[in-house]
Amino acid sequence: SAVISQKPSRDICQRGTSLTIQCQVDSQVTMMFWYRQQPGQSLTLIATANQGSEATYESGFVIDKFPISRPNLTFSTLTVSNMSPEDSSIYLCSVEDGGRWTQYFGPGTRLLVL
Amino acid sequence: AQSVSQHNHHVILSEAASLELGCNYSYGGTVNLFWYVQYPGQHLQLLLKYFSGDPLVKGIKGFEAEFIKSKFSFNLRKPSVQWSDTAEYFCAVNAPNNNDMRFGAGTRLTVKP
């Protein structure tokens, strides 16, 4: 399975600012995903990011709030814009395992917004 | 859209006890089923998965799960838990040819030494 890293691992941010989270994979993958895991809750898919195309957002998530870049097959970024305390969460990226419909997850970015 | 229900929010067991965590899904068609585990301070790891074939699937660390189509269930089992199995367990489902993966709320397992 792919090895996935995320930066930063955690951050504390002020309300109204933005944070960009990076996701790096050690092999080329077509599909990458961004999830949110709010405290005590399960994972919720934010968007699917394919290289060379616009990200596809799930209901309740919009590009202005969560812009995503996917410049190549091993890297993606998620920006959490104009943050509020409600954005405090763990943000995870995952990759799909070569057409086998299985996802592997990065370690996550723990975000606290004050 | 598919949804996943995990019945147990928190399960507490003693070492060597048997484990069964419930997972039911709501989806009318063929599904792929997964169990993920998140150990304290670590990232989500794939425990096992079911796509087709033998409905009894064996995963890592002695875990297994049984797909019962008539009950829309994919329960996770382990005959004898260890303290190191303390973790959060998530059931997930997606449809074939669809990467839209839905997760259950998770079950926190605490194993007492």
Side-chain angles (χ1 to χ4, degrees), chain A residues 14-84:
Chain A
Q14 296 298 318
R15 180 196 300 260
T17 63
S18 297
L19 176 71
T20 295
I21 301 168
Q22 300 178 6
C23 179
Q24 180 77 51
V25 190
D26 70 341
S27 58
Q28 294 185 336
V29 294
T30 302
M31 302 189 75
M32 296 179 77
F33 307 86
W34 286 98
Y35 287 83
R36 182 172 71 184
Q37 185 179 18
Q38 293 186 301
Q41 298 188 28
S42 187
L43 285 78
T44 302
L45 181 64
I46 297 172
T48 302
N50 292 341
Q51 193 268 336
S53 62
E54 293 286 331
T56 303
Y57 289 83
E58 295 298 304
S59 176
F61 298 97
V62 294
I63 188 171
D64 290 346
K65 175 68 175 177
F66 297 101
I68 289 170
S69 78
R70 182 79 202 273
N72 57 51
L73 291 172
T74 63
F75 187 77
S76 178
T77 67
L78 169 76
T79 299
V80 186
S81 303
N82 189 25
M83 288 184 284
S84 67

Side-chain angles (χ1 to χ4, degrees), chain B residues 57-105:
Chain B
V57 180
K58 295 194 182 298
I60 60 172
K61 304 186 180 185
F63 286 91
E64 64 180 30
E66 184 175 13
F67 170 53
I68 302 179
K69 188 175 181 180
S70 61
K71 295 184 179 180
F72 297 89
S73 70
F74 190 57
N75 291 356
L76 181 71
R77 301 195 293 246
K78 186 171 183 178
S80 176
V81 294
Q82 300 172 314
W83 175 79
S84 58
D85 293 324
T86 294
E88 186 98 20
Y89 292 82
F90 293 94
C91 182
V93 59
N94 66 15
N97 304 317
N98 184 342
N99 275 294
D100 184 5
M101 187 173 282
R102 302 289 167 167
F103 284 81

Side-chain angles (χ1 to χ4, degrees), chain B residues 1-75:
Chain B
Q2 57 263 42
S3 64
V4 183
S5 299
Q6 291 183 243
H7 316 299
N8 313 104
H9 181 64
H10 188 191
V11 173
I12 302 173
L13 296 173
S14 298
E15 275 195 313
S18 64
L19 169 72
E20 181 160 1
L21 302 182
C23 172
N24 286 89
Y25 65 93
S26 170
Y27 185 69
T30 304
V31 293
N32 300 322
L33 296 154
F34 307 84
W35 276 97
Y36 285 87
V37 60
Q38 189 170 30
Y39 296 103
Q42 297 188 29
H43 64 280
L44 271 170
Q45 300 173 37
L46 181 67
L47 204 52
L48 49 78
K49 60 186 177 183
Y50 172 80
F51 286 177
S52 63
D54 188 344
L56 184 61
V57 180
K58 295 194 182 298
I60 60 172
K61 304 186 180 185
F63 286 91
E64 64 180 30
E66 184 175 13
F67 170 53
I68 302 179
K69 188 175 181 180
S70 61
K71 295 184 179 180
F72 297 89
S73 70
F74 190 57
N75 291 356

